[in-house]
Amino acid sequence: MKLHKCTEFNDFVFPDRLDIQLRHLMKQSSVFSPICFYGFPGCGKTSFAKFISDHKSNEVHYEDVNVIQDGKDNFGKFMERLKKGLTSCSLFYENEPWRKVLILDEFHNLRSHQQDRFKVLFDDWNDYGIQIIICLNITTKKNINLVLSSALRSRCECLNFSLFKKDYPEMISKVSAKFDLDEISIRKYLPDMRKIVRKTQLPEDFRC
């Protein structure tokens, strides 16, 4: 089943604290420092990265680093392909806040020394007009300090997408107002908003 693609900011449901930060980011009129979207799985990191990129640039490069973990690519070839693709000439439109965007998804699957290979590249690409967004998962046992190298943390603007218990009352109210789903079901699926979206797009007979 193909899920509905978010085309407007209001298609997303975020707690107010994150909503304010993301709306501010949407208003940025120039290339920002590298951005890190991190949080629990299913909280909307990758979907929002693609959404904001599509709205700010005509040239978006999406890379899933799982191609390295799956053995479909080796790290050296992966890096060379990125360098070649991102430094090639492209048209620049004055009405585009971001000349190019690079989304690096599942970034937590890279080892620390592999992540550090991006240190200088991130600085160079940013200067070239490329907006970098990395997306990574954390868990209750592995926070961002354990999944993102300190060198990259110091270079990135990090935004936490995770939903916590304190967010649940607010999120239950927002989700119930937006989707045809009862409170018991919402509590069952939180903090994974991806599950909520999937369930609400299934026919009633298939929900369980």
Side-chain angles (χ1 to χ4, degrees):
M1 178 187 65
K2 186 175 181 179
L3 296 179
H4 169 69
K5 181 180 178 181
C6 295
T7 58
E8 302 291 339
F9 190 97
N10 289 335
D11 288 339
F12 294 91
V13 182
F14 297 121
D16 286 345
R17 57 174 174 78
L18 180 60
D19 190 284
I20 292 171
Q21 291 178 299
L22 296 178
R23 288 183 185 277
H24 175 71
L25 187 61
M26 288 289 295
K27 294 178 181 177
Q28 288 290 329
S29 59
S30 60
V31 171
F32 207 60
S33 59
I35 305 166
C36 172
F37 292 163
Y38 72 98
F40 301 144
C43 58
K45 306 178 294 294
T46 302
S47 294
F48 191 80
K50 292 178 178 179
F51 166 78
I52 191 173
S53 299
D54 287 341
H55 277 67
K56 286 184 172 287
S57 178
N58 283 325
E59 191 166 345
V60 180
H61 293 253
Y62 172 85
E63 295 284 350
D64 185 341
V65 302
N66 280 330
V67 296
I68 302 171
Q69 304 303 115
D70 296 340
K72 297 176 181 177
D73 208 345
N74 66 54
F75 186 72
K77 290 182 179 179
F78 178 80
M79 294 296 287
E80 287 304 315
R81 180 160 53 82
L82 277 184
K83 293 176 186 177
K84 183 177 180 180
L86 292 174
T87 56
S88 60
C89 294
S90 65
L91 295 175
F92 180 61
Y93 300 94
E94 291 185 359
N95 64 337
E96 287 182 330
W98 298 347
R99 182 175 187 175
K100 292 184 181 181
V101 185
L102 169 62
I103 301 173
L104 291 171
D105 201 8
E106 304 290 328
F107 201 75
H108 55 278
N109 286 324
L110 293 181
R111 297 184 178 93
S112 183
H113 74 274
Q114 291 175 324
Q115 293 182 5
D116 284 345
R117 290 277 300 276
F118 286 91
K119 289 187 296 185
V120 176
L121 291 174
F122 276 12
D123 295 337
D124 291 345
W125 290 340
N126 236 195
D127 291 341
Y128 187 68
I130 299 170
Q131 181 62 61
I132 302 151
I133 304 176
I134 62 176
C135 300
L136 55 88
N137 289 339
I138 62 170
T139 66
T140 53
K141 294 183 179 180
K142 284 190 174 183
N143 61 31
I144 190 171
N145 296 325
L146 296 177
V147 297
L148 184 64
S149 76
S150 58
L152 291 191
R153 288 201 309 275
S154 68
R155 286 168 167 76
C156 292
E157 178 73 18
C158 298
L159 296 179
N160 191 351
F161 276 61
S162 297
L163 295 179
F164 301 99
K165 294 293 184 183
K166 64 181 180 181
D167 298 315
Y168 281 21
E170 177 190 354
M171 289 299 291
I172 289 170
S173 177
K174 286 186 173 184
V175 171
S176 63
K178 189 175 186 63
F179 299 107
D180 179 23
L181 208 59
D182 59 90
E183 181 175 337
I184 294 176
S185 296
I186 296 171
R187 286 187 179 276
K188 174 184 176 182
Y189 300 128
L190 286 176
D192 194 335
M193 284 296 299
R194 183 170 45 199
K195 289 183 179 179
I196 289 176
V197 173
R198 285 173 177 165
K199 292 298 180 183
T200 56
Q201 292 182 15
L202 286 173
E204 188 70 35
D205 291 346
F206 289 90
R207 300 181 192 175
C208 59

